[in-house]
Amino acid sequence: MTTTERRPAPGDDHEYGLLDIDDFVQGDGSAGHAGLPRTIIGWLSTTDHKALGIAYIIASMTFLLIGGALAGIMRAELAEPGLQVVSAETYNSIFTIHGSLMVYLFAVPFGFGLANYLMPLQIGAPDLAFPRLNAFSYWLYVIGGTIMLLGFLADGGPADFGWFAYPPLSGAAGSPGLGADLWIVAILLTGTSGTLTAVNVIATVTMMRTPGMTLFRMPILTWNLLVTAFMVLLAFPVLSGALLMLLADRQFGTHFFDPVNGGSPILFQHLFWFFGHPEVYIVALPFFGVVTEVFSVFSRRPTFGYKGLVLATLTIGALSTSVWAHHMFVTGEVVLPFFALTSALIAVPTGVKIFNWIGTMWGGSISFEAPMKFAIGFLVTFVGGGITGIMLASPTIDFHLSDSYFVVAHFHYVMGGTVVFAMFAAIYFWWPKVTGRFLSERLATIHFWLLMVGFNMTFFFMHFLGRDGMARRTADYPDIGDFHLWNLIASLGYVVLVLSFIPFGISVVQSFRRPMTAGADPWHANTLEWATTSPPAEHNFSWLPPIRSERPVFDFRWLNYEDVGTAGYSDAWLARQDHDGQWFPLHQWSRHPDEEPTAASGPQEQPGPGQRPRDETPEQSP
Amino acid sequence: MRLEAILWTGVGAYFVTIGLIYAAVGGDTAGIVLLFAAVGLGGLIAGWTWEWTRHHAPRIVDRADADASDETGIVGVYPIASLRPIALALGTSALVLGIAIGSWLSMIGLAVIASQVLLLVRDTDT
């Protein structure tokens, strides 16, 4: 490693060596939750992307807890053959609402929470492109979720036709109660919310990146959120259309899906799965982005094959829209070779991703802080679920395993474990950024191992149950073979899973009692969200480093070591000296005319070196 | 913006290709329609981005050598906190929920939506 002359930097007391972002950002991270609302009315009316991001994450985790509690009833019911904890009808409602909460109201909105909080920070933007639309989207989601749960108070109980609502079971004759209508309305509202969020994400990424942040310098998480947003635009309106048709069948006597009067239930299945399979990747892609960031930071290596990873994401996005009918193999109404081939093909870009993640870690200086543990947990779980996915892409295997517990195991590995492990990787990784505090490493280790053991106890043996013919969505089962043993293990595993959340809860409480000592860049990370205070100030940035690669914060930290960072980075830094100061007004934001001045808008009133007064700056649109 | 245009063109091209293949192998009508609708979705955005590229100089953000100093000034006016979004969401929910519960609820929802949209427009004017 060769070193070069130390570059000029703000402040004159720097030691020669690595630069510290904290010396360059305003504030010391002890100013509290800058920009976050402090009152109930404030939270109800906020349009701030960080506040809404936090609100999304809290709401989605609340739905996770409710869905998890419903799963507990199911596991209690199935712990022994012949047990009747709840009636068969109630069991049907419980698995329907459990699946709906987890898929529609937890997994996808958690990704939207990440998009809200992190994406503007990662591209150096002050907010999302349409803040009020963003708030509207959030409230549609929360109200939609509440409406679904109100089904428990409806006469006849909540919907009980499964989370994909196939007619004729979901039709007026099959499910006559109000609960079914509430379910449909809830999904319509949350679907609309998702569509509007996707518009916001695409507009923000396209129009609001900071100078230097070209498309191929965006963090992989932002790339994944962009592709996810496109898939949402493609898939969610189709689901909304299908559900509107279903609602019309139920309420207005139309016959879209009524086979007696010329309608086609198979049409609903096509429409649903044209949404449903991209949905799997809509859920997964943001979490792929999360672990990509985590692997790189905790391996002290750049992401291996950055462009290949982007291409793999684009390919997954494209292929995922062409595989929908592999969920319908057993209908006998689909072109088997086409969907078998496209379904198997999707393993290729997915394999590329796994290869890239391993390549990122390979030869790195790996450390196993909590985010890395959970990211590896994600990798193990995802590979497990992916392998069974390839098996199910084969029609001959699918004919045997369709609607069995094998499928339940498969998608809980893909959509359950993958999401939960990566979700905790994200929480442990960005917690210091969001709160300025750390979570306990010791408790995180306990959390991780309990989750790993509990998850695999719960879901691994379901593969055997399905292979041996146990059907999903049954409230009881005969005591044959090892059915009882495997179900009992799964139910005990559920208890371990629940226990795993306790150390996490303790860690959260402990964290809020600790001082805010995290600083701007506690992990020595790569991307722009680490180039601002923790928690970030209102509208995010008062300063940004030059951007010459997908790792601008890394490049800046290693500015004094010319051969380490991106070539030409020091030139970009020196070019700043040609201007009238080292500080530049970047992405200034103006207050609304009605708004009172705030601390964050202060610097514009009193420009620092290199800043021009606001009234002298030419107005530009992004 | 050129790269974005290429990206969205790629989306359209992919769905043309896969749509034609699916039609050729005897795919169902709904699937074919959905795939070609996706061509329209990608094509619409691709068309806008190409049109934008044709009529505008490359943006600063598309330049690899750009830095913060190249784009000083106000990039946007951000809205203050507002109860309009939540009110609008409540109105929209009432409108849709009314289909299941009763048209009276839809009427209330419609009134709330209309009032909030008008107020949002007024906010924008000021």
Side-chain angles (χ1 to χ4, degrees), chain A residues 45 143 206 208-209 217 230 270 318 321-322 548 576 612 620 622, chain B residues 4 8 14-15 28 59 64-67 72 74-75 78 82 93:
Chain A
S45 60
I143 294 168
T206 306
M208 294 183 63
R209 303 193 307 273
R217 287 177 185 162
F230 171 73
H270 276 294
T321 56
S322 316
R548 288 294 177 270
R576 288 192 170 185
R612 284 173 289 185
Q620 293 180 5
Chain B
E4 282 89 341
W8 288 108
Y14 170 77
F15 283 109
D28 68 289
R59 300 176 303 169
D65 63 344
D67 197 4
T72 55
I74 296 168
V75 294
Y78 287 88
S82 169
S93 304

PDB file of all heavy atoms in Angstrom, chain A residues 45 143 206 208-209 217 230 270 318 321-322 548 576 612 620 622, chain B residues 4 8 14-15 28 59 64-67 72 74-75 78 82 93:
ATOM      1  N   SER A  45     -49.690  13.402  10.815  1.00  0.00           N
ATOM      2  CA  SER A  45     -49.638  14.355   9.696  1.00  0.00           C
ATOM      3  C   SER A  45     -48.273  14.397   9.008  1.00  0.00           C
ATOM      4  O   SER A  45     -48.099  15.137   8.047  1.00  0.00           O
ATOM      5  CB  SER A  45     -49.990  15.757  10.196  1.00  0.00           C
ATOM      6  OG  SER A  45     -49.070  16.155  11.194  1.00  0.00           O
ATOM      7  N   ILE A 143     -54.902   1.517   7.176  1.00  0.00           N
ATOM      8  CA  ILE A 143     -56.364   1.396   7.240  1.00  0.00           C
ATOM      9  C   ILE A 143     -56.794   0.072   6.610  1.00  0.00           C
ATOM     10  O   ILE A 143     -57.661  -0.638   7.131  1.00  0.00           O
ATOM     11  CB  ILE A 143     -57.035   2.605   6.538  1.00  0.00           C
ATOM     12  CG1 ILE A 143     -56.726   3.883   7.319  1.00  0.00           C
ATOM     13  CG2 ILE A 143     -58.541   2.397   6.437  1.00  0.00           C
ATOM     14  CD1 ILE A 143     -57.087   5.162   6.572  1.00  0.00           C
ATOM     15  N   THR A 206     -35.182   8.043 -10.311  1.00  0.00           N
ATOM     16  CA  THR A 206     -34.912   8.586 -11.641  1.00  0.00           C
ATOM     17  C   THR A 206     -34.517  10.063 -11.577  1.00  0.00           C
ATOM     18  O   THR A 206     -33.614  10.496 -12.294  1.00  0.00           O
ATOM     19  CB  THR A 206     -36.159   8.431 -12.534  1.00  0.00           C
ATOM     20  OG1 THR A 206     -36.556   7.056 -12.533  1.00  0.00           O
ATOM     21  CG2 THR A 206     -35.878   8.851 -13.974  1.00  0.00           C
ATOM     22  N   MET A 208     -34.022  12.252  -8.563  1.00  0.00           N
ATOM     23  CA  MET A 208     -33.517  12.965  -7.386  1.00  0.00           C
ATOM     24  C   MET A 208     -32.171  12.480  -6.880  1.00  0.00           C
ATOM     25  O   MET A 208     -31.805  12.746  -5.737  1.00  0.00           O
ATOM     26  CB  MET A 208     -34.563  12.893  -6.263  1.00  0.00           C
ATOM     27  CG  MET A 208     -35.827  13.651  -6.632  1.00  0.00           C
ATOM     28  SD  MET A 208     -37.037  13.666  -5.321  1.00  0.00           S
ATOM     29  CE  MET A 208     -36.174  14.554  -4.042  1.00  0.00           C
ATOM     30  N   ARG A 209     -31.425  11.784  -7.719  1.00  0.00           N
ATOM     31  CA  ARG A 209     -30.098  11.356  -7.277  1.00  0.00           C
ATOM     32  C   ARG A 209     -29.176  12.578  -7.192  1.00  0.00           C
ATOM     33  O   ARG A 209     -29.294  13.506  -8.003  1.00  0.00           O
ATOM     34  CB  ARG A 209     -29.529  10.312  -8.243  1.00  0.00           C
ATOM     35  CG  ARG A 209     -30.402   9.091  -8.410  1.00  0.00           C
ATOM     36  CD  ARG A 209     -29.669   7.962  -9.113  1.00  0.00           C
ATOM     37  NE  ARG A 209     -29.072   8.347 -10.367  1.00  0.00           N
ATOM     38  CZ  ARG A 209     -29.694   8.335 -11.550  1.00  0.00           C
ATOM     39  NH1 ARG A 209     -30.963   7.967 -11.626  1.00  0.00           N
ATOM     40  NH2 ARG A 209     -29.068   8.689 -12.650  1.00  0.00           N
ATOM     41  N   ARG A 217     -23.766   3.636  -9.986  1.00  0.00           N
ATOM     42  CA  ARG A 217     -23.083   3.832  -8.702  1.00  0.00           C
ATOM     43  C   ARG A 217     -24.082   3.704  -7.556  1.00  0.00           C
ATOM     44  O   ARG A 217     -23.735   3.928  -6.410  1.00  0.00           O
ATOM     45  CB  ARG A 217     -22.422   5.209  -8.658  1.00  0.00           C
ATOM     46  CG  ARG A 217     -21.190   5.312  -9.529  1.00  0.00           C
ATOM     47  CD  ARG A 217     -20.632   6.723  -9.481  1.00  0.00           C
ATOM     48  NE  ARG A 217     -19.526   6.879 -10.407  1.00  0.00           N
ATOM     49  CZ  ARG A 217     -19.077   8.045 -10.824  1.00  0.00           C
ATOM     50  NH1 ARG A 217     -19.638   9.170 -10.383  1.00  0.00           N
ATOM     51  NH2 ARG A 217     -18.075   8.113 -11.672  1.00  0.00           N
ATOM     52  N   PHE A 230     -40.793  -1.575 -10.005  1.00  0.00           N
ATOM     53  CA  PHE A 230     -41.347  -1.879 -11.323  1.00  0.00           C
ATOM     54  C   PHE A 230     -42.238  -3.118 -11.259  1.00  0.00           C
ATOM     55  O   PHE A 230     -43.331  -3.156 -11.844  1.00  0.00           O
ATOM     56  CB  PHE A 230     -40.240  -2.085 -12.354  1.00  0.00           C
ATOM     57  CG  PHE A 230     -40.802  -2.601 -13.647  1.00  0.00           C
ATOM     58  CD1 PHE A 230     -41.530  -1.769 -14.475  1.00  0.00           C
ATOM     59  CD2 PHE A 230     -40.675  -3.943 -13.995  1.00  0.00           C
ATOM     60  CE1 PHE A 230     -42.111  -2.254 -15.630  1.00  0.00           C
ATOM     61  CE2 PHE A 230     -41.251  -4.426 -15.147  1.00  0.00           C
ATOM     62  CZ  PHE A 230     -41.967  -3.586 -15.974  1.00  0.00           C
ATOM     63  N   HIS A 270     -55.191 -17.224 -13.086  1.00  0.00           N
ATOM     64  CA  HIS A 270     -54.166 -16.587 -13.927  1.00  0.00           C
ATOM     65  C   HIS A 270     -53.880 -15.171 -13.434  1.00  0.00           C
ATOM     66  O   HIS A 270     -52.714 -14.763 -13.294  1.00  0.00           O
ATOM     67  CB  HIS A 270     -54.626 -16.541 -15.386  1.00  0.00           C
ATOM     68  CG  HIS A 270     -54.355 -17.802 -16.141  1.00  0.00           C
ATOM     69  ND1 HIS A 270     -53.093 -18.250 -16.417  1.00  0.00           N
ATOM     70  CD2 HIS A 270     -55.214 -18.722 -16.686  1.00  0.00           C
ATOM     71  CE1 HIS A 270     -53.153 -19.397 -17.098  1.00  0.00           C
ATOM     72  NE2 HIS A 270     -54.438 -19.704 -17.267  1.00  0.00           N
ATOM     73  N   ALA A 318     -37.519  -9.757 -14.512  1.00  0.00           N
ATOM     74  CA  ALA A 318     -38.163 -10.076 -15.789  1.00  0.00           C
ATOM     75  C   ALA A 318     -38.747 -11.490 -15.759  1.00  0.00           C
ATOM     76  O   ALA A 318     -39.934 -11.697 -16.051  1.00  0.00           O
ATOM     77  CB  ALA A 318     -37.146  -9.932 -16.923  1.00  0.00           C
ATOM     78  N   THR A 321     -42.009 -12.539 -13.899  1.00  0.00           N
ATOM     79  CA  THR A 321     -43.324 -12.221 -14.467  1.00  0.00           C
ATOM     80  C   THR A 321     -43.748 -13.240 -15.523  1.00  0.00           C
ATOM     81  O   THR A 321     -44.795 -13.085 -16.142  1.00  0.00           O
ATOM     82  CB  THR A 321     -43.293 -10.829 -15.117  1.00  0.00           C
ATOM     83  OG1 THR A 321     -42.239 -10.812 -16.083  1.00  0.00           O
ATOM     84  CG2 THR A 321     -43.053  -9.749 -14.092  1.00  0.00           C
ATOM     85  N   SER A 322     -42.923 -14.243 -15.733  1.00  0.00           N
ATOM     86  CA  SER A 322     -43.216 -15.210 -16.801  1.00  0.00           C
ATOM     87  C   SER A 322     -43.322 -16.632 -16.264  1.00  0.00           C
ATOM     88  O   SER A 322     -43.184 -17.583 -17.025  1.00  0.00           O
ATOM     89  CB  SER A 322     -42.096 -15.165 -17.851  1.00  0.00           C
ATOM     90  OG  SER A 322     -41.750 -13.854 -18.154  1.00  0.00           O
ATOM     91  N   ARG A 548     -17.667   8.661  -6.634  1.00  0.00           N
ATOM     92  CA  ARG A 548     -16.986   8.169  -7.829  1.00  0.00           C
ATOM     93  C   ARG A 548     -17.130   6.649  -7.991  1.00  0.00           C
ATOM     94  O   ARG A 548     -16.526   6.058  -8.879  1.00  0.00           O
ATOM     95  CB  ARG A 548     -15.500   8.545  -7.778  1.00  0.00           C
ATOM     96  CG  ARG A 548     -15.255  10.029  -7.990  1.00  0.00           C
ATOM     97  CD  ARG A 548     -15.652  10.464  -9.407  1.00  0.00           C
ATOM     98  NE  ARG A 548     -15.489  11.888  -9.613  1.00  0.00           N
ATOM     99  CZ  ARG A 548     -16.439  12.795  -9.373  1.00  0.00           C
ATOM    100  NH1 ARG A 548     -17.620  12.413  -8.909  1.00  0.00           N
ATOM    101  NH2 ARG A 548     -16.247  14.068  -9.605  1.00  0.00           N
ATOM    102  N   ARG A 576     -12.665  20.211  -5.511  1.00  0.00           N
ATOM    103  CA  ARG A 576     -13.515  21.047  -4.656  1.00  0.00           C
ATOM    104  C   ARG A 576     -12.766  22.291  -4.174  1.00  0.00           C
ATOM    105  O   ARG A 576     -13.371  23.305  -3.874  1.00  0.00           O
ATOM    106  CB  ARG A 576     -13.986  20.264  -3.439  1.00  0.00           C
ATOM    107  CG  ARG A 576     -15.027  19.225  -3.771  1.00  0.00           C
ATOM    108  CD  ARG A 576     -15.671  18.699  -2.524  1.00  0.00           C
ATOM    109  NE  ARG A 576     -16.837  17.881  -2.869  1.00  0.00           N
ATOM    110  CZ  ARG A 576     -17.666  17.363  -1.981  1.00  0.00           C
ATOM    111  NH1 ARG A 576     -17.462  17.576  -0.703  1.00  0.00           N
ATOM    112  NH2 ARG A 576     -18.695  16.658  -2.370  1.00  0.00           N
ATOM    113  N   ARG A 612     -23.949  30.019  -0.978  1.00  0.00           N
ATOM    114  CA  ARG A 612     -24.521  31.299  -1.336  1.00  0.00           C
ATOM    115  C   ARG A 612     -25.836  31.483  -0.598  1.00  0.00           C
ATOM    116  O   ARG A 612     -26.522  30.497  -0.337  1.00  0.00           O
ATOM    117  CB  ARG A 612     -24.775  31.351  -2.839  1.00  0.00           C
ATOM    118  CG  ARG A 612     -23.504  31.551  -3.632  1.00  0.00           C
ATOM    119  CD  ARG A 612     -23.761  31.421  -5.087  1.00  0.00           C
ATOM    120  NE  ARG A 612     -24.041  30.023  -5.433  1.00  0.00           N
ATOM    121  CZ  ARG A 612     -24.208  29.602  -6.673  1.00  0.00           C
ATOM    122  NH1 ARG A 612     -24.154  30.444  -7.658  1.00  0.00           N
ATOM    123  NH2 ARG A 612     -24.446  28.343  -6.921  1.00  0.00           N
ATOM    124  N   GLN A 620     -33.619  25.423  -9.450  1.00  0.00           N
ATOM    125  CA  GLN A 620     -33.528  24.317 -10.403  1.00  0.00           C
ATOM    126  C   GLN A 620     -34.528  23.267 -10.013  1.00  0.00           C
ATOM    127  O   GLN A 620     -34.805  23.082  -8.832  1.00  0.00           O
ATOM    128  CB  GLN A 620     -32.132  23.684 -10.357  1.00  0.00           C
ATOM    129  CG  GLN A 620     -31.055  24.622 -10.866  1.00  0.00           C
ATOM    130  CD  GLN A 620     -29.702  23.947 -10.794  1.00  0.00           C
ATOM    131  OE1 GLN A 620     -29.602  22.783 -10.458  1.00  0.00           O
ATOM    132  NE2 GLN A 620     -28.671  24.676 -11.128  1.00  0.00           N
ATOM    133  N   PRO A 622     -35.331  19.229  -9.952  1.00  0.00           N
ATOM    134  CA  PRO A 622     -34.468  18.047  -9.926  1.00  0.00           C
ATOM    135  C   PRO A 622     -34.406  17.373 -11.288  1.00  0.00           C
ATOM    136  O   PRO A 622     -35.344  17.397 -12.024  1.00  0.00           O
ATOM    137  CB  PRO A 622     -35.126  17.142  -8.894  1.00  0.00           C
ATOM    138  CG  PRO A 622     -36.516  17.625  -8.763  1.00  0.00           C
ATOM    139  CD  PRO A 622     -36.488  19.082  -9.091  1.00  0.00           C
TER     140      PRO A 622
ATOM    141  N   GLU B   4     -31.607   5.265 -18.396  1.00  0.00           N
ATOM    142  CA  GLU B   4     -32.961   4.923 -17.948  1.00  0.00           C
ATOM    143  C   GLU B   4     -33.824   4.547 -19.150  1.00  0.00           C
ATOM    144  O   GLU B   4     -34.606   3.583 -19.094  1.00  0.00           O
ATOM    145  CB  GLU B   4     -33.608   6.105 -17.211  1.00  0.00           C
ATOM    146  CG  GLU B   4     -33.138   6.301 -15.788  1.00  0.00           C
ATOM    147  CD  GLU B   4     -31.909   7.201 -15.708  1.00  0.00           C
ATOM    148  OE1 GLU B   4     -31.229   7.375 -16.741  1.00  0.00           O
ATOM    149  OE2 GLU B   4     -31.608   7.708 -14.616  1.00  0.00           O
ATOM    150  N   TRP B   8     -35.755   0.972 -19.720  1.00  0.00           N
ATOM    151  CA  TRP B   8     -37.202   0.792 -19.916  1.00  0.00           C
ATOM    152  C   TRP B   8     -37.508   0.208 -21.289  1.00  0.00           C
ATOM    153  O   TRP B   8     -38.473  -0.534 -21.456  1.00  0.00           O
ATOM    154  CB  TRP B   8     -37.938   2.117 -19.714  1.00  0.00           C
ATOM    155  CG  TRP B   8     -37.970   2.524 -18.271  1.00  0.00           C
ATOM    156  CD1 TRP B   8     -37.265   3.536 -17.686  1.00  0.00           C
ATOM    157  CD2 TRP B   8     -38.710   1.903 -17.214  1.00  0.00           C
ATOM    158  NE1 TRP B   8     -37.522   3.586 -16.338  1.00  0.00           N
ATOM    159  CE2 TRP B   8     -38.405   2.604 -16.022  1.00  0.00           C
ATOM    160  CE3 TRP B   8     -39.597   0.831 -17.153  1.00  0.00           C
ATOM    161  CZ2 TRP B   8     -38.966   2.252 -14.791  1.00  0.00           C
ATOM    162  CZ3 TRP B   8     -40.151   0.494 -15.930  1.00  0.00           C
ATOM    163  CH2 TRP B   8     -39.835   1.199 -14.765  1.00  0.00           C
ATOM    164  N   TYR B  14     -38.336  -7.120 -23.639  1.00  0.00           N
ATOM    165  CA  TYR B  14     -38.446  -8.435 -22.993  1.00  0.00           C
ATOM    166  C   TYR B  14     -39.874  -8.956 -23.080  1.00  0.00           C
ATOM    167  O   TYR B  14     -40.106 -10.127 -23.430  1.00  0.00           O
ATOM    168  CB  TYR B  14     -38.001  -8.358 -21.526  1.00  0.00           C
ATOM    169  CG  TYR B  14     -38.327  -9.626 -20.771  1.00  0.00           C
ATOM    170  CD1 TYR B  14     -37.539 -10.762 -20.937  1.00  0.00           C
ATOM    171  CD2 TYR B  14     -39.441  -9.709 -19.937  1.00  0.00           C
ATOM    172  CE1 TYR B  14     -37.844 -11.947 -20.283  1.00  0.00           C
ATOM    173  CE2 TYR B  14     -39.753 -10.888 -19.278  1.00  0.00           C
ATOM    174  CZ  TYR B  14     -38.952 -12.002 -19.451  1.00  0.00           C
ATOM    175  OH  TYR B  14     -39.272 -13.173 -18.811  1.00  0.00           O
ATOM    176  N   PHE B  15     -40.821  -8.095 -22.767  1.00  0.00           N
ATOM    177  CA  PHE B  15     -42.205  -8.570 -22.735  1.00  0.00           C
ATOM    178  C   PHE B  15     -42.757  -8.832 -24.140  1.00  0.00           C
ATOM    179  O   PHE B  15     -43.609  -9.693 -24.310  1.00  0.00           O
ATOM    180  CB  PHE B  15     -43.086  -7.596 -21.946  1.00  0.00           C
ATOM    181  CG  PHE B  15     -42.902  -7.743 -20.465  1.00  0.00           C
ATOM    182  CD1 PHE B  15     -42.262  -6.765 -19.730  1.00  0.00           C
ATOM    183  CD2 PHE B  15     -43.325  -8.887 -19.811  1.00  0.00           C
ATOM    184  CE1 PHE B  15     -42.068  -6.917 -18.371  1.00  0.00           C
ATOM    185  CE2 PHE B  15     -43.134  -9.053 -18.453  1.00  0.00           C
ATOM    186  CZ  PHE B  15     -42.499  -8.069 -17.735  1.00  0.00           C
ATOM    187  N   ASP B  28     -52.510 -19.175 -22.575  1.00  0.00           N
ATOM    188  CA  ASP B  28     -53.890 -18.723 -22.388  1.00  0.00           C
ATOM    189  C   ASP B  28     -54.034 -17.250 -22.772  1.00  0.00           C
ATOM    190  O   ASP B  28     -53.065 -16.483 -22.729  1.00  0.00           O
ATOM    191  CB  ASP B  28     -54.296 -18.917 -20.927  1.00  0.00           C
ATOM    192  CG  ASP B  28     -53.521 -17.975 -20.028  1.00  0.00           C
ATOM    193  OD1 ASP B  28     -52.313 -18.202 -19.859  1.00  0.00           O
ATOM    194  OD2 ASP B  28     -54.111 -16.996 -19.549  1.00  0.00           O
ATOM    195  N   ARG B  59     -28.360  15.337 -18.057  1.00  0.00           N
ATOM    196  CA  ARG B  59     -28.462  15.922 -16.719  1.00  0.00           C
ATOM    197  C   ARG B  59     -27.121  15.843 -15.990  1.00  0.00           C
ATOM    198  O   ARG B  59     -26.273  15.000 -16.321  1.00  0.00           O
ATOM    199  CB  ARG B  59     -29.512  15.155 -15.903  1.00  0.00           C
ATOM    200  CG  ARG B  59     -30.888  15.174 -16.496  1.00  0.00           C
ATOM    201  CD  ARG B  59     -31.821  14.323 -15.684  1.00  0.00           C
ATOM    202  NE  ARG B  59     -31.339  12.939 -15.556  1.00  0.00           N
ATOM    203  CZ  ARG B  59     -31.856  12.043 -14.737  1.00  0.00           C
ATOM    204  NH1 ARG B  59     -32.860  12.380 -13.954  1.00  0.00           N
ATOM    205  NH2 ARG B  59     -31.383  10.815 -14.690  1.00  0.00           N
ATOM    206  N   ALA B  64     -20.518  11.282 -15.008  1.00  0.00           N
ATOM    207  CA  ALA B  64     -19.734  10.515 -14.034  1.00  0.00           C
ATOM    208  C   ALA B  64     -18.813  11.411 -13.217  1.00  0.00           C
ATOM    209  O   ALA B  64     -18.401  11.046 -12.121  1.00  0.00           O
ATOM    210  CB  ALA B  64     -18.917   9.446 -14.751  1.00  0.00           C
ATOM    211  N   ASP B  65     -18.472  12.598 -13.755  1.00  0.00           N
ATOM    212  CA  ASP B  65     -17.504  13.460 -13.061  1.00  0.00           C
ATOM    213  C   ASP B  65     -18.181  14.582 -12.279  1.00  0.00           C
ATOM    214  O   ASP B  65     -17.534  15.526 -11.861  1.00  0.00           O
ATOM    215  CB  ASP B  65     -16.527  14.059 -14.075  1.00  0.00           C
ATOM    216  CG  ASP B  65     -17.235  14.952 -15.084  1.00  0.00           C
ATOM    217  OD1 ASP B  65     -18.483  14.868 -15.179  1.00  0.00           O
ATOM    218  OD2 ASP B  65     -16.555  15.736 -15.780  1.00  0.00           O
ATOM    219  N   ALA B  66     -19.481  14.484 -12.080  1.00  0.00           N
ATOM    220  CA  ALA B  66     -20.189  15.573 -11.406  1.00  0.00           C
ATOM    221  C   ALA B  66     -19.953  15.533  -9.902  1.00  0.00           C
ATOM    222  O   ALA B  66     -19.664  14.494  -9.321  1.00  0.00           O
ATOM    223  CB  ALA B  66     -21.677  15.473 -11.704  1.00  0.00           C
ATOM    224  N   ASP B  67     -20.074  16.706  -9.288  1.00  0.00           N
ATOM    225  CA  ASP B  67     -19.977  16.788  -7.829  1.00  0.00           C
ATOM    226  C   ASP B  67     -21.066  17.727  -7.333  1.00  0.00           C
ATOM    227  O   ASP B  67     -21.728  18.410  -8.124  1.00  0.00           O
ATOM    228  CB  ASP B  67     -18.586  17.292  -7.427  1.00  0.00           C
ATOM    229  CG  ASP B  67     -18.282  17.001  -5.958  1.00  0.00           C
ATOM    230  OD1 ASP B  67     -19.122  16.353  -5.283  1.00  0.00           O
ATOM    231  OD2 ASP B  67     -17.218  17.428  -5.484  1.00  0.00           O
ATOM    232  N   THR B  72     -25.950  23.484  -7.415  1.00  0.00           N
ATOM    233  CA  THR B  72     -26.352  24.255  -6.246  1.00  0.00           C
ATOM    234  C   THR B  72     -27.773  24.754  -6.461  1.00  0.00           C
ATOM    235  O   THR B  72     -28.297  24.735  -7.562  1.00  0.00           O
ATOM    236  CB  THR B  72     -25.437  25.463  -6.039  1.00  0.00           C
ATOM    237  OG1 THR B  72     -25.437  26.224  -7.238  1.00  0.00           O
ATOM    238  CG2 THR B  72     -24.054  25.015  -5.685  1.00  0.00           C
ATOM    239  N   ILE B  74     -31.945  25.358  -5.034  1.00  0.00           N
ATOM    240  CA  ILE B  74     -33.060  24.671  -4.396  1.00  0.00           C
ATOM    241  C   ILE B  74     -33.577  23.586  -5.327  1.00  0.00           C
ATOM    242  O   ILE B  74     -33.892  23.851  -6.480  1.00  0.00           O
ATOM    243  CB  ILE B  74     -34.169  25.677  -4.074  1.00  0.00           C
ATOM    244  CG1 ILE B  74     -33.645  26.684  -3.051  1.00  0.00           C
ATOM    245  CG2 ILE B  74     -35.400  24.969  -3.546  1.00  0.00           C
ATOM    246  CD1 ILE B  74     -34.529  27.877  -2.875  1.00  0.00           C
ATOM    247  N   VAL B  75     -33.613  22.372  -4.849  1.00  0.00           N
ATOM    248  CA  VAL B  75     -34.069  21.279  -5.703  1.00  0.00           C
ATOM    249  C   VAL B  75     -35.561  21.008  -5.557  1.00  0.00           C
ATOM    250  O   VAL B  75     -36.139  20.307  -6.364  1.00  0.00           O
ATOM    251  CB  VAL B  75     -33.308  19.970  -5.431  1.00  0.00           C
ATOM    252  CG1 VAL B  75     -31.863  20.114  -5.808  1.00  0.00           C
ATOM    253  CG2 VAL B  75     -33.464  19.533  -3.997  1.00  0.00           C
ATOM    254  N   TYR B  78     -40.467  21.242  -0.159  1.00  0.00           N
ATOM    255  CA  TYR B  78     -41.054  20.076   0.481  1.00  0.00           C
ATOM    256  C   TYR B  78     -42.217  20.475   1.365  1.00  0.00           C
ATOM    257  O   TYR B  78     -42.162  21.497   2.044  1.00  0.00           O
ATOM    258  CB  TYR B  78     -39.983  19.308   1.259  1.00  0.00           C
ATOM    259  CG  TYR B  78     -39.103  18.610   0.289  1.00  0.00           C
ATOM    260  CD1 TYR B  78     -38.004  19.247  -0.249  1.00  0.00           C
ATOM    261  CD2 TYR B  78     -39.454  17.361  -0.184  1.00  0.00           C
ATOM    262  CE1 TYR B  78     -37.243  18.627  -1.214  1.00  0.00           C
ATOM    263  CE2 TYR B  78     -38.693  16.742  -1.149  1.00  0.00           C
ATOM    264  CZ  TYR B  78     -37.593  17.383  -1.658  1.00  0.00           C
ATOM    265  OH  TYR B  78     -36.846  16.781  -2.615  1.00  0.00           O
ATOM    266  N   SER B  82     -49.085  17.504   7.151  1.00  0.00           N
ATOM    267  CA  SER B  82     -50.460  17.767   6.733  1.00  0.00           C
ATOM    268  C   SER B  82     -51.356  16.587   7.100  1.00  0.00           C
ATOM    269  O   SER B  82     -50.942  15.433   6.990  1.00  0.00           O
ATOM    270  CB  SER B  82     -50.475  17.975   5.213  1.00  0.00           C
ATOM    271  OG  SER B  82     -51.803  17.987   4.745  1.00  0.00           O
ATOM    272  N   SER B  93     -60.867   4.804   1.681  1.00  0.00           N
ATOM    273  CA  SER B  93     -61.270   3.540   2.308  1.00  0.00           C
ATOM    274  C   SER B  93     -62.788   3.475   2.434  1.00  0.00           C
ATOM    275  O   SER B  93     -63.399   2.428   2.168  1.00  0.00           O
ATOM    276  CB  SER B  93     -60.623   3.408   3.689  1.00  0.00           C
ATOM    277  OG  SER B  93     -59.235   3.528   3.575  1.00  0.00           O
TER     278      SER B  93
END
